[in-house]
Every structure is written in C-alpha cells, then in structure tokens.
Amino acid sequence: MPLLPSTGFLDAASMGRLTAQLPTLQDVPGTSPWDAEALLQWLCGPAPSSGGAHAARFVLGVWRPNIDWSLVARAFTYVGVDRAGRFDLVAACGTWDREHVACISRWLEAPRQTPPTAPPAMGSDEEEDQRRRRARWPSDGREAMAALASSLPALAGLTGVTPWDQEAVLTWLCSAEGPSGDVAHAARFLLTLWNSRTEWREAAGEMGLPVPGRASRFDLFDALQVWGTADAKPVRAWVEAQFWP
C-alpha cells in the first residue's frame, strides 16, 4: 500500500506539532497556527538559513506533496521563488543538525500519525551516532552502498546492487524498457546519495542511454507515492545513521 494519501499526510493541527519539532522553524510565520501560504512567503523572503529552507520545503511537502510550491510562489509574485522547490532529502541531511534529522526520522516511521506534542529527548551524542553508523554500515563507501542497496526490496537481484556499480544501475534505470516506478525511485535515491553533485541525467546522455530523463534527482514525496512501508524503511535507516560515500 502506498504511503502517500490523496491530499497530504497530516491535518493542520498535526502540522503545527510537526513544525514545533524543527528548531529552524521556531517562531516562523505560518507554523503556529499552521498557514502554508504564510510559511511559503517566509521561505521566499530574505530570512531563511539553508537548514530553515530545507525544513520549510519538508513541511510544505508533508502538507501537500503533489504541489509544485515554486509555481504557487510565482503566482503570488514572491521574489525568492527558487527557494520554494521540491524537498531534497539528501541535501537536507547534509545540512541539518541532529534535532532536524531526528524529526524526519520519526516522521518516516509513521508519516500519517499525529506527531507528539513535544519530541522525545535526544538520547545520544555524536560519539553514539558514530558507533551506530559503524555498526550499521561498512566503512568502505562502495561496500556501504551495496549494503544499503541490497536492503531496498525493489532492487533485489538487479545488476549493480552487489557489488555496487553506479554505471550499471544508471544503465538499466535509463534503458528503453525501463524499470517499474518503485525500482526507479530506489535507484534515484542511491545515485543521488552516491554523488549528490552529479547531474545523472547529463551523465546518462553522455553514455548514450535511451531515456536519460529517468535519472532525475531523488524526490522523497514522489517515491512515497508508490512505495510501501518496506520500501521506505531502508531510507529511514540511512537517515538515522548517515554515511557519505
């Protein structure tokens, strides 16, 4: 069963609870009470930090995952419409502190469940985070990618998963026949994580692959539209114990 409902994951009251768990959204317009338009205006203004912008894009995606908020911002003639793009999980996790990461990890566990009034106390420190990472993933980047890829149910038995081979994954992702939606999203997640600076569509074009457009950047909310709980679980495991190949 896909995790994505037809409108949004949470109602307005629950959205207020979710934003309360994100430090960069404290006292931000539109968070309490919840007002998506006011938050969008703040996001497109001069105030947001990088972490705050990621947080705003995250909660706007939770509220209405199928909306292109940059188009809404353009309709309102806001200045910083580029900041209202899609939420980028990998980029956000590379910027956020532990409180923000803990918030999205809890949300991924139960996307449609009302968040607690107050988040649980952070029970670990940086050293414990490192121990968790070492316990979960191999220290070698390619081996860690293979471990993560093999934990994604949609990728079972596919070329390039174990051992990890990004060119092999890119090749079948952009092949003429193409993979199913759940497989494609899993591949995009891995490629985005493997090298978040690479424009994989351009790389696929340079390789002469038939459908380079399939190698778009991973979009969490698009993925949750077709993924079930088992598909999302490995992504949450990476969020909780991030490695960067």
Side-chain angles (χ1 to χ4, degrees), residues 167 170 173-174 191 195-217:
E167 289 193 6
L170 185 62
L173 172 63
C174 299
L191 290 170
N195 192 331
S196 62
R197 297 184 183 89
T198 293
E199 175 49 74
W200 290 103
R201 286 175 294 191
E202 291 182 5
E206 291 170 359
M207 291 171 62
L209 299 179
V211 192
R214 280 205 205 97
S216 57
R217 195 168 179 87

Side-chain angles (χ1 to χ4, degrees), residues 134-153:
R134 288 194 296 267
R136 186 168 293 177
W137 311 113
S139 58
D140 178 80
R142 284 189 176 275
E143 292 180 4
M145 288 297 299
L148 176 59
S150 63
S151 70
L152 287 156

Side-chain angles (χ1 to χ4, degrees), residues 165-189:
D165 182 340
Q166 68 274 15
E167 289 193 6
V169 171
L170 185 62
T171 297
W172 55 252
L173 172 63
C174 299
S175 62
E177 58 276 13
S180 59
D182 57 339
V183 176
H185 286 301
R188 293 183 191 114
F189 170 59

